[in-house]
Amino acid sequence: MMENVNGLSLDLLVHPGETIKEVLEEKNMSQEELAIRTEYSAKHVSEVVRGKKDISSEFANRLEYALGIPAHFWMNLQTNYDKEVFEINCVNNIQEKELNILKDLKDVVKFCENADIIECNSKKEITVLNMRKFLNLNNLCSIPSLSIQQAAFRGSKVNKVNVYVLYAWQKLCEYFTNKATITNNYDKEKLKTKYEDIKKTMFLPANDMVEELKKIFAECGIAFEVVQHFTGAPVQGFIQKKNEKVILCMTIRQSFSDIFWFTLFHEIGHLLHDDFSNQYIDYQFIESEEEKEADIFARNTLIDENKYNEFMKKANIGISDIKRFADSQNVKPGIVIGRIQKDIDDYSFMAQYRERYKWSS
């Protein structure tokens, strides 16, 4: 959880020198005596007590000897004071442009507050500081200048993208996957043996499905998570390699289970083809051979191409036929229906049998 700024005016802050003054009063010790005990000038001690000078590391060590209070106590007081001074100065210098960016991030901010990722605060300037900390930025205005091509994104080519929301969504992916304990390094060969195990999870209740997928991917050195989606970040999948570990995040933005599963295997296809190794190319808005290869991999891994073509030769295909074929492919009927809809360009075809995922309240 991010910390709040304690005050909005420097006049409200308590300098560490005030604590020295209180300790001297308790010990019935004068500033002159403290100067003798620390071998600092009386003027120096007076200026520290009055908040005109800060407590240096050397002075903190001498205070430990003179007052019997550990040096780290005094250094922590000084560090916390400096931090508060810095943050109050930041609050007083936040510009309108950065506050406007906060409006773009309002849904992300609400999510982060509800999830205790940042401290809830009604003052927007404080929220700016909290979001700076979470997003690892000194200024939210820096986001467009950062390269967000650190990962391979998959999503709509039509929906409008907000670069601030997209960046924040990526940071949420990193935040949640960083919580996972992944002991194995990324193992592409092991991943190749897990296709059927991954497919089997689609028959589980949604929450159980996600937990089982986490376990399977963890064996392959992959931190997997399903992350909340936001307007402005029309992405469905996210992959990123960090050292010898891999992040793989999904969302259910379009809710249909067949889209989720196609996208999941699409991203697995990118992993197998090492498409993320070259500075994590952004595939969201371009057509490329890598995208086509990942699409083919996803289709053929979910449903055997030859058997699907043979199945589609039937004159009249009913739901019972689809269910039998889905069973033969170890997938749910909605996966087959979604494939057919796309191939015949008719999304009304048996639409009532397509399953949807939704976020639990």
Side-chain angles (χ1 to χ4, degrees), residues 20 34 38 55 59-69 74:
I20 295 177
L34 179 62
T38 58
I55 297 177
F59 191 52
N61 279 296
R62 296 195 186 188
L63 286 174
E64 178 172 345
Y65 288 110
L67 300 176
I69 298 174
W74 301 109

Side-chain angles (χ1 to χ4, degrees), residues 68-306:
I69 298 174
H72 65 78
F73 170 82
W74 301 109
M75 291 306 300
N76 285 341
L77 279 184
Q78 186 65 55
T79 298
N80 290 336
Y81 175 80
D82 292 343
K83 180 174 178 288
E84 290 177 337
V85 169
F86 173 79
E87 291 185 333
I88 287 176
N89 285 332
C90 285
V91 166
N92 293 332
N93 289 287
I94 289 175
Q95 298 180 349
E96 191 66 26
K97 185 176 181 180
E98 202 168 6
L99 295 176
N100 287 334
I101 293 172
L102 197 65
K103 295 177 184 177
D104 290 352
L105 293 172
K106 64 181 186 302
D107 291 337
V108 178
V109 169
K110 183 178 180 181
F111 175 84
C112 288
E113 289 177 340
N114 290 339
D116 286 338
I117 296 172
I118 67 170
E119 187 78 30
C120 182
N121 195 287
S122 60
K123 189 170 181 61
K124 54 190 177 181
E125 288 86 358
I126 302 298
T127 304
V128 167
L129 296 191
N130 288 334
M131 287 304 292
R132 284 179 182 177
K133 294 174 184 176
F134 174 61
L135 300 177
N136 302 130
L137 296 164
N138 192 56
N139 192 310
L140 300 182
C141 298
S142 302
I143 290 175
S145 299
L146 293 171
S147 171
I148 60 171
Q149 294 187 7
Q150 298 174 338
F153 290 98
R154 176 172 177 76
S156 168
K157 300 176 184 178
V158 179
N159 291 345
K160 185 178 180 181
V161 172
N162 183 303
V163 66
Y164 302 104
V165 179
L166 184 60
Y167 179 83
W169 186 81
Q170 178 184 335
K171 297 300 289 186
L172 281 170
C173 289
E174 295 173 358
Y175 172 82
F176 285 114
T177 52
N178 281 342
K179 292 177 173 291
T181 302
I182 307 297
T183 57
N184 297 336
N185 289 336
Y186 172 57
D187 189 336
K188 181 165 62 174
E189 296 307 313
K190 179 172 285 189
L191 180 59
K192 291 178 181 178
T193 70
K194 296 295 183 179
Y195 302 158
E196 290 305 314
D197 289 340
I198 292 171
K199 286 168 64 174
K200 286 178 184 177
T201 66
M202 73 174 68
F203 295 94
L204 299 172
N207 288 339
D208 295 339
M209 174 192 79
V210 172
E211 292 306 311
E212 190 61 28
L213 284 173
K214 288 181 181 180
K215 294 176 184 177
I216 294 171
F217 283 118
E219 292 179 37
C220 306
I222 300 169
F224 176 79
E225 188 61 71
V226 179
V227 180
Q228 176 71 54
H229 58 281
F230 301 95
T231 301
V235 292
Q236 292 168 243
F238 167 91
I239 59 175
Q240 185 181 70
K241 188 173 183 181
K242 285 190 171 183
N243 300 320
E244 296 303 318
K245 307 294 191 299
V246 166
I247 290 173
L248 170 54
C249 290
M250 299 289 297
T251 184
I252 55 172
R253 186 177 61 86
Q254 291 183 282
S255 76
F256 287 110
S257 62
D258 57 290
I259 294 178
F260 174 89
W261 282 98
F262 178 81
T263 303
L264 177 58
F265 275 97
H266 178 101
E267 300 305 328
I268 292 173
H270 279 311
L271 292 176
L272 296 176
H273 296 147
D274 296 322
D275 293 336
F276 59 90
S277 60
N278 184 21
Q279 284 304 111
Y280 313 115
I281 304 170
D282 183 350
Y283 296 101
Q284 186 176 3
F285 305 109
I286 60 174
E287 297 292 340
S288 68
E289 289 303 314
E290 290 92 344
E291 287 293 287
K292 292 177 182 176
E293 288 181 11
D295 280 348
I296 292 171
F297 170 82
R299 285 199 304 267
N300 294 345
T301 305
L302 283 168
I303 301 173
D304 182 89
E305 181 76 10
N306 293 329

Side-chain angles (χ1 to χ4, degrees), residues 12-25:
L12 299 177
L13 294 184
V14 178
H15 188 274
E18 186 67 27
T19 303
I20 295 177
K21 181 180 179 181
E22 292 173 358
V23 172
L24 291 178
E25 290 175 352

